[in-house]
Amino acid sequence: MRQFRKRSVALLLGTLTVAQLAGSLAVPAVQAAGTQTSAAAAVKISPITMSAGVTAAIEDVNIWTQSGGNILTYTLKVTNNSSSTVNLQRYFSRVVTPGGSIIPGNPVTADATKKKIAAKNSMSITYYVNIGQTKSLSGVKIAMYVWDTKSKGYLKHTGSFAIPAAYSTTAGLGKSINTKMNDIPVSASADSLQLYKYGGKVYAMVGINITNKGSNVLGDPGYSAYLVTASGTSFELALNSSQTGYKIQPQEKRTIFYLTEIPAYLNTANMKLQFTQKDETLKLELAKSSFKLPAATTPDLVVASGAVKKMLVNSNTVDTKLTGAAVYAEDDKAVWSFQLQLKNTGNKAVTLPAYELSVKSAKGTAFPVNAKGLSGLTLKPLETKVVPLTAEIPLQVEQSSLQLQMIEAVTASAGNDTGGSGAGEAAGDTSAKLVFPVAYFTIPYTLRADVRSGQEYGTTNQYGTFSYSLQSLQRYPWKDDDIVLAKVRITNNQSVNLTIPDLKGALKLDNDNLAATTDLLMDKEAAVLAPGQYTDISLLTKIPYTDEFDNVRVNLSVKSETESIPFLDFSTTSFISSVNQLKRGDSYVITGKGKNAAVQENKTTVYEGSNFNILYTEVLMSSAEKRQSKMARLQAYFKTADGQFYEAKVNQSDNLATPGGKQLITLWAKLPKTVATAEVAAYLGSGVTGSKLSESGEQPTGFINVASLPLTPRAVVPAANLQNIVLYPYTLNVITTDASHVEASDTVSLNITYNLKRENAYDAGESEHKLVLRITDPFGQSQDKVLAFGTDLTEGSNHSYAVSFSNMLYRQITGGTYRLTFFDEFQGERQELGGQTFTMRFIPLPKPADDEKATEK
């Protein structure tokens, strides 16, 4: 069809059409028996003999009112039963109006080239005349003439067709006409006339059935359509530009619906649907077929709760159903969420037209609905899609009687009705937005239930059908804040893969929306779930540790630069679940692609200080991977028996872990002297930076998968000798030690012979420990030496370390013992590793007598 014209407000409803009518019906070329019951078929008009063997018969006569004069068209069927070709230029017709005017008929542009009729053939030619203000066929005659040089004026009158007053080519109710469109035979009949009221306006929707009875696909012939009242007032119908280009397959039947706005006071009795064709050369609209319409009805568009609304979109039926309606109160508004489920039950893909959705209250107030995913949605044959919808309604509005109204909105040209005086004349060029109701879905009033931890719930959205469960809701310390973490599990309940889009998360605690500070962690390689598979999603945010809250809202939405696309939203009042409580001696297990490992306590001890103590723990992280991999960056807090938390500093190797390899990781924190450490536990977790697991060199912003591992602090028992001094990764074995003092000297020389072995079973970060040697002389005075591995002490066997030290008191030494004590110094505090007392070797000076004897000899 042509585009919407300037003179009226009309469009084709995309959602209500079974097919589009690209043009109006042509003049009935052949009337099937019993199909046409109009006065044109009931009234017999005898043919006129034009010459020997040549007759002319009237096929139809129509008037179409126009401002420049009403145009009468008539079609003559000329039959040549002679044995020779007939020249049509010898035959003429004149229209005689009731007022006596005689107007020659001229062929329309399409028939202007028809000049001759072969023997034993017939031909139909359509003529037009401008009959001024004549509106009725009553009293109209069509006089026929043949060229005759013997007659006055060279024209011989052969007869006239007197058009009866009851003559009409309009198809009657329930009857069809056979005609041609684009030279393809079709059958057409009126279907319905429906009236809709919306927004204070009245819309008339006209339906017509068309069956393609040809062998070729029927395309757009470019006709126009009008809704005409009994008094002759016309309202133009037109297709929106997005509806053009329809195709009707051979033997296919479609119903087409047109829409126009009409005055509320209009009498809709005895209306008809009129089609016209624009003769571009003549700049005229020529009347074609018309159909009497049935009595107008007003359809019920209300869809009951849970019921399916069948919508016709471009000849395909789309089953539409409102599901998943739920509401919860937030501040002074009710927050509604629901889903529109759409299934294309047809055999062709369809694209939905533009819709406006709103929630209407019982008093008629409309509230906007967020439904950007609906307009322009394409559905493949038998495909089902789910569109999430959200709306916010003030709490003072009655929530139990709401409706979701679906409106089709189209922008088209607009103007006035023709008033029966020139449907083809353009008025001013204006534009109007037509909004037409499609359905009113009853919204069931269901308060959204809080999700309980550990229970599974099912849902469906545009990405698929899945179940979800709140695995845990935890709160644990992070620096001077607390981390609140919600762990959600998504399980694919479909028989096909479920693809989870790139998500962002938001946590809302009571009325505090923490979307800006919520991080979401999910293994992106687990975004495609096979049937039955699941993935875990962690959302974490930070709050002041003094804050309290009762309600948690979890929101997952699809990342988008232009809009918020909901994926999953629920609230919970579940109690904060404690972190996983391990038993003493258990392993803390880390899972994740490339991160699988087990962590066990290796040693826990306390470095006693004068002002504070240092709680120190070594853990072994054993890789469970089969390839070299980057291990999780461990984060930890120490929790004491009285519930106090102390952040642990972590020292972990940056190297890749070998398959089955172990990393020695140290954790330590300074504790007040008054804090008991007997019942201490380590809160262990994998460090995260933003929305991903922390990598080496990155500053963690939190940690996840936290578990509490009870520790077993043990005091270090110093060794009674120096045979096995361990300061990982080294083991020192003192073989011999010799401290010598020369009589009267102020210096003592010490030489230690030792073996030093390095243990390579574990990969560890750079050691923060120092080995300190304390040398205690016979006077009880001590001197400390920090021994550096690799310089002061060398790996291997039978190495020696020599040192000397001086003191004026040593001049008095004539013997005695000295003690060697080794310490582990960590962050300035020490633990004794072992010590042993040895006898000092005294070297006396030679006596004078001894010197003389030596000289004599």
Side-chain angles (χ1 to χ4, degrees):
M1 290 296 295
R2 64 177 184 173
Q3 302 306 304
F4 191 93
R5 297 183 54 184
K6 307 170 189 174
R7 301 208 25 128
S8 62
V9 182
L11 71 151
L12 173 67
L13 266 188
T15 51
L16 297 175
T17 57
V18 177
Q20 296 171 334
L21 181 59
S24 70
L25 299 179
V27 177
V30 179
Q31 298 296 343
T35 61
Q36 172 62 281
T37 60
S38 66
V43 177
K44 291 292 286 183
I45 304 179
S46 298
I48 296 174
T49 299
M50 303 296 294
S51 61
V54 180
T55 60
I58 191 77
E59 285 195 326
D60 74 88
V61 185
N62 287 289
I63 295 178
W64 186 240
T65 57
Q66 298 179 57
S67 59
N70 300 331
I71 302 299
L72 181 143
T73 58
Y74 56 97
T75 300
L76 298 177
K77 182 179 181 181
V78 181
T79 302
N80 178 13
N81 289 321
S82 69
S83 58
S84 60
T85 299
V86 170
N87 190 344
L88 288 177
Q89 292 179 317
R90 297 184 65 251
Y91 303 105
F92 303 90
S93 61
R94 300 286 189 265
V95 173
V96 182
T97 67
S101 300
I102 301 176
I103 309 167
N106 293 300
V108 297
T109 302
D111 291 345
T113 58
K114 296 178 179 180
K115 304 295 185 181
K116 296 180 180 182
I117 305 176
K120 308 302 182 183
N121 277 284
S122 62
M123 183 179 291
S124 295
I125 307 99
T126 300
Y127 299 86
Y128 76 94
V129 295
N130 188 328
I131 57 174
Q133 298 305 308
T134 301
K135 297 181 179 180
S136 172
L137 293 175
S138 179
V140 172
K141 295 180 181 181
I142 300 174
M144 302 301 298
Y145 300 88
V146 64
W147 178 264
D148 186 357
T149 56
K150 297 179 181 180
S151 300
K152 185 179 179 180
Y154 302 104
L155 291 179
K156 177 182 177 182
H157 181 246
T158 58
S160 296
F161 297 108
I163 308 302
Y167 181 92
S168 173
T169 57
T170 299
L173 288 176
K175 300 300 179 179
S176 62
I177 61 171
N178 291 331
T179 185
K180 285 187 177 181
M181 297 173 60
N182 289 350
D183 289 328
I184 296 175
V186 299
S187 176
S189 62
D191 179 78
S192 60
L193 172 61
Q194 296 177 328
L195 302 181
Y196 297 85
K197 293 182 179 180
Y198 179 77
K201 296 182 179 181
V202 178
Y203 298 93
M205 186 176 69
V206 180
I208 184 169
N209 303 314
I210 295 182
T211 302
N212 180 356
K213 291 191 172 184
S215 58
N216 297 321
V217 177
L218 178 62
D220 184 353
Y223 296 147
S224 300
Y226 293 87
L227 177 64
V228 183
T229 67
S231 63
T233 303
S234 302
F235 299 88
E236 186 178 5
L237 302 162
L239 298 178
N240 180 265
S241 58
S242 65
Q243 307 297 325
T244 57
Y246 82 98
K247 301 291 182 182
I248 300 180
Q249 301 297 322
Q251 310 310 312
E252 182 181 9
K253 179 181 179 181
R254 292 191 182 181
T255 304
I256 300 147
F257 293 91
Y258 294 90
L259 177 69
T260 184
E261 181 184 340
I262 61 175
Y265 56 81
L266 190 70
N267 184 353
T268 59
N270 298 317
M271 299 190 87
K272 72 175 182 177
L273 175 62
Q274 174 73 57
F275 292 96
T276 67
Q277 182 181 23
K278 182 67 176 291
D279 190 319
E280 297 295 342
T281 302
L282 302 175
K283 305 301 181 184
L284 296 174
E285 267 192 287
L286 309 177
K288 295 295 182 180
S289 299
S290 59
F291 301 84
K292 185 175 182 180
L293 295 172
T297 60
T298 301
D300 184 6
L301 298 179
V302 176
V303 183
S305 176
V308 173
K309 168 69 174 180
K310 292 186 177 295
M311 302 192 309
L312 297 177
V313 183
N314 293 341
S315 80
N316 282 16
T317 298
V318 177
D319 287 349
T320 309
K321 183 179 180 182
L322 184 67
T323 64
V327 63
Y328 64 92
E330 183 178 90
D331 300 330
D332 60 347
K333 59 184 178 294
V335 179
W336 280 90
S337 62
F338 24 76
Q339 298 167 340
L340 205 58
Q341 180 176 295
L342 303 108
K343 180 180 181 180
N344 179 6
T345 63
N347 57 6
K348 297 179 181 178
V350 295
T351 299
L352 301 184
Y355 290 115
E356 290 182 358
L357 296 183
S358 60
V359 173
K360 186 180 70 170
S361 69
K363 295 183 177 180
T365 305
F367 302 92
V369 170
N370 181 7
K372 292 184 178 180
L374 182 60
S375 294
L377 181 71
T378 298
L379 293 170
K380 298 176 183 177
L382 304 181
E383 182 180 18
T384 298
K385 288 187 177 181
V386 176
V387 179
L389 310 172
T390 57
E392 295 182 352
I393 313 298
L395 286 178
Q396 62 264 33
V397 175
E398 176 57 48
Q399 305 291 317
S400 61
S401 56
L402 300 175
Q403 288 181 331
L404 174 69
Q405 57 182 13
M406 176 180 281
I407 307 299
E408 184 178 359
V410 179
T411 300
S413 300
N416 300 318
D417 65 86
T418 68
S421 58
E425 181 187 5
D429 190 10
T430 59
S431 180
K433 183 177 182 181
L434 299 177
V435 286
F436 187 84
V438 176
Y440 299 104
F441 293 93
T442 301
I443 301 176
Y445 181 60
T446 305
L447 289 173
R448 185 171 67 178
D450 283 339
V451 167
R452 294 185 178 274
S453 182
Q455 293 189 11
E456 196 169 56
Y457 303 84
T459 189
T460 298
N461 61 22
Q462 67 267 48
Y463 299 96
T465 298
F466 56 89
S467 63
Y468 64 94
S469 61
L470 178 63
Q471 293 290 295
S472 61
L473 183 64
Q474 296 178 335
R475 178 175 182 170
Y476 47 85
W478 180 257
K479 301 188 182 300
D480 57 351
D481 289 327
D482 272 357
I483 286 177
V484 176
L485 181 141
K487 188 175 182 179
V488 181
R489 175 165 294 176
I490 304 292
T491 303
N492 181 11
N493 290 343
Q494 304 178 139
S495 58
V496 295
N497 287 350
L498 172 69
T499 300
I500 298 178
D502 194 11
L503 299 174
K504 61 181 178 180
L507 291 177
K508 185 174 184 179
L509 310 183
D510 290 339
N511 294 323
D512 192 5
N513 191 340
L514 301 174
T517 59
T518 299
D519 291 320
L520 181 146
L521 289 98
M522 187 186 91
D523 184 359
K524 291 188 177 180
E525 295 189 13
V528 179
L529 301 178
Q533 285 188 337
Y534 68 84
T535 187
D536 290 334
I537 301 173
S538 296
L539 296 89
L540 71 157
T541 189
K542 302 181 189 73
I543 61 172
Y545 80 93
T546 55
D547 282 4
E548 299 294 336
F549 57 88
D550 297 315
N551 181 271
V552 178
R553 179 182 172 189
V554 177
N555 178 268
L556 298 175
S557 59
V558 181
K559 287 184 178 179
S560 172
E561 295 181 357
T562 58
E563 59 180 311
S564 177
I565 305 174
F567 182 81
L568 178 64
D569 186 280
F570 64 84
S571 297
T572 182
T573 54
S574 296
F575 292 108
I576 297 293
S577 53
S578 61
V579 299
N580 187 21
Q581 301 292 317
L582 303 176
K583 294 181 180 179
R584 198 178 303 274
D586 282 353
S587 294
Y588 166 62
V589 178
I590 299 173
T591 59
K593 189 169 184 179
K595 307 292 183 183
N596 292 295
V599 178
Q600 280 189 312
E601 179 187 13
N602 184 53
K603 179 180 78 172
T604 299
T605 188
V606 176
Y607 291 83
E608 299 282 350
S610 57
N611 298 316
F612 53 82
N613 296 332
I614 294 178
L615 180 60
Y616 174 89
T617 294
E618 291 177 354
V619 295
L620 293 175
M621 179 183 287
S622 304
S623 172
E625 296 294 330
K626 297 181 180 180
R627 296 286 189 275
Q628 281 189 330
S629 57
K630 298 178 181 180
M631 291 288 94
R633 307 303 295 179
L634 207 61
Q635 297 296 304
Y637 276 78
F638 291 120
K639 182 183 180 182
T640 59
D642 60 355
Q644 301 299 315
F645 286 92
Y646 297 89
E647 181 183 1
K649 296 194 179 336
V650 181
N651 184 356
Q652 182 176 356
S653 171
D654 293 334
N655 298 329
L656 294 175
T658 59
K662 295 184 178 182
Q663 288 186 343
L664 181 71
I665 303 172
T666 62
L667 320 170
W668 65 274
K670 292 182 179 180
L671 276 64
K673 294 284 291 180
T674 56
V675 173
T677 57
E679 298 295 329
V680 70
Y683 270 41
L684 302 174
S686 300
V688 297
T689 302
S691 293
K692 65 182 185 65
L693 293 174
S694 299
E695 299 287 348
S696 175
E698 292 181 338
Q699 185 65 34
T701 57
F703 63 143
I704 61 171
N705 301 326
V706 176
S708 175
L709 178 65
L711 301 177
T712 306
R714 290 187 175 92
V716 176
V717 178
N721 55 55
L722 304 182
Q723 301 302 307
N724 194 35
I725 302 299
V726 179
L727 184 63
Y728 189 83
Y730 295 97
T731 299
L732 178 67
N733 179 15
V734 175
I735 303 172
T736 61
T737 176
D738 177 44
S740 61
H741 172 258
V742 177
E743 182 181 3
S745 171
D746 62 357
T747 300
V748 173
S749 298
L750 175 64
N751 188 74
I752 299 174
T753 303
Y754 64 91
N755 297 331
L756 183 64
K757 180 181 178 182
R758 180 184 175 94
E759 177 64 61
N760 293 315
Y762 309 137
D763 182 25
E766 185 176 349
S767 177
E768 299 176 285
H769 295 264
K770 296 177 182 178
L771 180 64
V772 178
L773 171 62
R774 174 171 292 172
I775 306 169
T776 305
D777 60 26
F779 295 103
Q781 295 182 338
S782 298
Q783 296 189 48
D784 293 347
K785 297 289 185 180
V786 176
L787 304 182
F789 296 106
T791 53
D792 297 323
L793 299 179
T794 305
E795 290 182 56
S797 302
N798 294 313
H799 290 289
S800 63
Y801 171 75
V803 66
S804 61
F805 41 95
S806 302
N807 192 315
M808 295 297 293
L809 291 176
Y810 292 169
R811 295 180 178 183
Q812 305 173 20
I813 293 178
T814 58
T817 62
Y818 66 95
R819 184 174 178 83
L820 298 182
T821 307
F822 284 95
F823 292 90
D824 167 19
E825 182 176 299
F826 183 79
Q827 301 297 323
E829 307 299 340
R830 295 179 180 180
Q831 283 185 341
E832 183 179 345
L833 300 177
Q836 190 173 348
T837 300
F838 302 91
T839 300
M840 183 176 290
R841 184 164 60 87
F842 177 70
I843 304 174
L845 293 174
K847 295 181 180 179
D850 295 336
D851 293 342
E852 291 176 359
K853 293 178 180 181
T855 302
E856 293 174 357
K857 292 180 178 181

